[in-house]
Amino acid sequence: MSRSAPWLVRRNPSVLLALVLALSVLTLLLTEPLPLVALYGALAVGACVGARLHPWRFARAQVPFLLFGTGLVVVNALARPGEPLWPDAPVRVTAEGLSIGVVLALRALVIGVGAVAFATSAEPRRLVVSLVQHARLSPRIAYALLAGHRLLGELPRQWRTITRAHAVRLPVSERRRGRASREPRLGVRALARCAFTLLVVSIRSSERTAFALESRGLGPGPRTVWRPVALGWPDGALVAGVALLAWLALLAPRAAGALPA
C-alpha cells in the first residue's frame, strides 16, 4: 500500500470491519441525544480527514441514513403513546415518541458514518486477504464473497450494455424518446426482457467463476496469500482512539447527571 494513500485506506480492513461492528453495538448503549451528536461529529471529522473525503461527497453518502432516520422520527412521534406536545394539533405527536425517534435516528447516523468510512477505505482484495490472515475466515467463503462483490460491481455496466442492445433492436414504433435526450427509452416489456437477460448472464458468470475457483484448487486446508496485509501499531492506535471516543460517549451522561442543577 502506497504511503500517499489516505491514512484509513492503509489500515487493516479487518480492524475497520471490527470497529464498525463494535460501533453498532455501542450505539445500543447510548440513550441520550447529546452523546450521540458528539460521537457523530467526531466520527464524521475523522472519516473525512482519515479517508480524504470531500465534505460534499460525505454529505451525499449520508443522505440514505438521514432519510431512514427521518422515517424513524416520524413513525415514533406519531405511533408511540405518551403526552401530546400539541393537544390542539390535528396530528397527535407525543413527546416520548419524538425523543425515542430522535435517539434512534442519531444511532442510524452514527452507524452510517462508520459504514461510509469503511466502504470508502476498505479495498475488497485487501479485506478478503485480511479476513483469511487475521480473522481466520475460510478461503472458500472469503474468495466466494470477493467473487460475488466483483459480480455485483459489473451489473451496472452489463445492464447498460443490455438495454442499449435492446434499444437498437426495437422497432421505431415501440420506442419512447426522452425529453432531454435523443436516446430511446425502453418500455416496460422491453425492460422486463432486459432484466431476464441480465439474470441469465449473471447466473452463467457465477457458474464460470465457481468453476474457475475450483480449478485453481480453492478448497479446505491452509493456503498462502499474495501480498499479505500488515497488522501494526497504527491499527492499534486507531482502535485506541475509537475506544477513547466510545468511553467518553458512555461517560458523558453520567458526568452530566453528577453536575449540580
Side-chain angles (χ1 to χ4, degrees), residues 11-187:
R11 300 286 65 81
N12 192 295
S14 294
V15 174
L16 297 178
L17 179 60
L19 288 176
V20 172
L21 296 177
L23 187 66
S24 303
V25 176
L26 171 67
T27 57
L28 300 177
L29 306 177
L30 299 175
T31 57
E32 297 293 333
L34 288 181
L36 286 168
V37 171
L39 184 61
Y40 175 82
L43 291 175
V45 172
C48 291
V49 174
R52 296 179 190 170
L53 285 176
H54 192 275
W56 177 242
R57 182 185 176 190
F58 175 79
R60 285 188 301 172
Q62 288 289 285
V63 169
F65 301 97
L66 181 61
L67 295 177
F68 178 71
T70 303
L72 290 175
V73 173
V74 172
V75 169
N76 283 274
L78 298 179
R80 283 188 178 270
E83 186 69 22
L85 288 176
W86 304 285
D88 299 331
V91 179
R92 185 172 179 271
V93 178
T94 62
E96 292 81 357
L98 184 61
S99 61
I100 293 175
V102 169
V103 170
L104 294 177
L106 289 174
R107 288 177 180 175
L109 290 176
V110 170
I111 296 174
V113 174
V116 170
F118 175 77
T120 55
S121 303
E123 195 269 327
R125 189 207 67 84
R126 296 184 72 246
L127 175 61
V128 167
V129 173
S130 176
L131 289 175
V132 173
Q133 271 188 271
H134 307 293
R136 305 304 179 188
L137 184 65
S138 171
R140 294 175 66 93
I141 299 176
Y143 287 102
L145 291 175
L146 179 61
H149 178 272
R150 291 181 174 176
L151 179 63
L152 289 176
E154 287 292 319
L155 289 183
R157 184 185 61 82
Q158 293 178 353
W159 174 256
R160 288 193 298 269
T161 302
I162 292 171
T163 52
R164 289 172 181 175
H166 276 257
V168 170
R169 296 170 58 185
L170 277 178
V172 178
S173 59
E174 296 185 15
R175 300 180 185 180
R176 295 189 298 114
R177 296 186 178 274
R179 296 180 179 178
S181 175
R182 294 185 177 181
E183 185 176 350
R185 296 172 56 190
L186 300 176

Side-chain angles (χ1 to χ4, degrees), residues 206-218:
S206 61
E207 185 178 7
R208 290 193 298 268
T209 302
F211 281 132
L213 292 175
E214 291 294 337
S215 64
R216 285 165 174 78
L218 184 63

